[in-house]
Amino acid sequence: MAKKERKDKPYKVPNPKRKHPLWAFLSLFMRIAAKKPEIINLAGEIEDKSIIVANHSAKSGPPALDIYFPKKAAKWGAHEMLGYWSQRKNYLRDILNIKKLKKKPGLWNSFKSGLVATLNPIPYKGMWMIPTYPDGRLIKTLRYSCEMLDKNIPIMVYPENSNDGYKTILTEFFPGFVMLAEKYYRANGIDLPIYPTYYHLKKRIMIIDKPMYVQDMVKEGLSREEIAQRFCDAVNRLYFEYIEKKDEKTDEETVQNEAEKAE
């Protein structure tokens, strides 16, 4: 007899007026682990009804973005991490640690995954995480997100394809956030501003670009996948222009200083 598939754990849309005290406490330690980055905000004030598309920056990106991004936003996260304990542990062990972070399997990995799975609900509730799905259940993600947008809460999405691990230069964006923008436009007539954002944890730099709009690209005749790729390119451009060039300039200055000392 086939094993009956477990139903999704019930999800309740976060109340933006209620703060999570334990996450507020834990975030103090996050500020020590992930020091405040230099924030280059090209967009100015972030609109309440908006979408932010950002790179994941390994596993520490979402908590750091929650703490330091100029406006509090609800965030999309893997549905397993908002599921039951066994689902969270299996996802951490098999997908995050082994597949994406290239950690070795074994008892230590399993133990750490179980421990994090136990503590995980605290930051996920505090960060207003919304479960995302790779199948037809994505419609629930879109519905939850629209409810948050109706409450004037932005939605932050990490749409990069990380099946082969997290990369500095992103290769592909999944188009779920494009579907959200389309859905909200159909329901409310609002073309949501979407802010490309790049965050580099080690170099402590966050760049927020001026907003782009899906309907502008729809008028160009672009498909969802092509629109998603344009946003992926926009996020990569932030890396090339504000991080890679900065590193090159620093290297040039170092060489010049050494040459001057040699003289």
Side-chain angles (χ1 to χ4, degrees):
M1 185 176 177
K3 187 177 179 181
K4 190 175 180 181
E5 188 173 342
R6 197 172 194 180
K7 292 184 178 180
D8 294 329
K9 188 175 181 179
Y11 177 79
K12 185 178 180 181
V13 174
N15 181 355
K17 294 183 179 179
R18 179 180 296 175
K19 294 183 178 180
H20 197 288
L22 288 177
W23 172 237
F25 177 73
L26 284 176
S27 64
L28 294 176
F29 293 95
M30 277 297 304
R31 290 177 184 274
I32 297 173
K35 295 179 181 179
K36 185 175 181 178
E38 173 190 359
I39 299 176
I40 302 171
N41 186 355
L42 308 173
E45 186 175 353
I46 309 298
E47 292 191 32
D48 294 333
K49 292 185 191 301
S50 63
I51 300 173
I52 301 106
V53 289
N55 62 313
H56 204 283
S57 192
K59 64 180 180 179
S60 299
L65 282 161
D66 182 82
I67 294 170
Y68 294 120
F69 194 80
K71 188 179 285 288
K72 177 75 172 180
K75 297 158 189 70
W76 283 15
H79 70 93
E80 295 93 340
M81 292 299 289
L82 289 135
Y84 297 98
W85 181 84
S86 60
Q87 293 173 308
R88 300 196 301 270
K89 178 189 174 184
N90 293 341
Y91 179 85
L92 287 164
R93 181 190 62 205
D94 302 330
I95 304 300
L96 180 65
N97 289 337
I98 295 176
K99 186 176 180 180
K100 297 189 177 185
L101 299 179
K102 314 301 181 186
K103 302 291 184 181
K104 293 182 180 179
L107 290 176
W108 179 238
N109 181 13
S110 185
F111 171 77
K112 287 195 299 182
S113 298
L115 180 61
V116 174
T118 302
L119 300 173
N120 172 260
I122 296 173
Y124 263 58
K125 288 180 181 178
M127 289 191 291
W128 298 344
M129 282 291 188
I130 297 174
T132 60
Y133 302 89
D135 50 35
R137 292 173 295 172
L138 180 64
I139 193 171
K140 296 197 291 186
T141 305
L142 302 181
R143 186 176 73 247
Y144 299 146
S145 300
C146 287
E147 289 182 39
M148 292 301 287
L149 288 164
D150 287 341
K151 296 176 181 178
N152 292 320
I153 301 298
I155 303 297
M156 183 175 287
V157 183
Y158 316 97
E160 69 194 78
N161 183 345
S162 58
N163 290 332
D164 192 36
Y166 299 112
K167 295 178 170 60
T168 301
I169 300 171
L170 314 176
T171 58
E172 178 187 14
F173 270 7
F174 294 121
F177 70 95
V178 180
M179 297 171 66
L180 173 60
E182 291 175 338
K183 178 179 175 63
Y184 206 78
Y185 179 76
R186 289 194 302 270
N188 302 281
I190 299 174
D191 190 11
L192 297 169
I194 304 181
Y195 300 91
T197 299
Y198 195 97
Y199 173 61
H200 201 295
L201 179 67
K202 290 184 178 180
K203 297 184 183 299
R204 299 205 300 272
I205 300 176
M206 181 190 302
I207 311 104
I208 306 163
D209 206 354
K210 294 177 181 178
M212 298 163 61
Y213 296 86
V214 164
Q215 288 305 308
D216 289 343
M217 301 176 202
V218 169
K219 291 174 184 176
E220 293 181 41
L222 300 184
S223 67
R224 285 174 179 165
E225 290 72 20
E226 289 170 329
I227 293 172
Q229 188 59 45
R230 184 168 289 187
F231 277 97
C232 181
D233 294 341
V235 173
N236 279 330
R237 186 170 61 250
L238 296 176
Y239 168 78
F240 291 129
E241 292 184 359
Y242 291 91
I243 298 176
E244 188 175 74
K245 283 186 178 179
K246 183 177 181 180
D247 289 343
E248 291 174 356
K249 185 177 180 181
T250 300
D251 291 341
E252 289 175 1
E253 290 175 349
T254 300
V255 171
Q256 184 176 354
N257 290 336
E258 290 177 352
E260 290 175 353
K261 288 179 181 179
E263 292 176 358

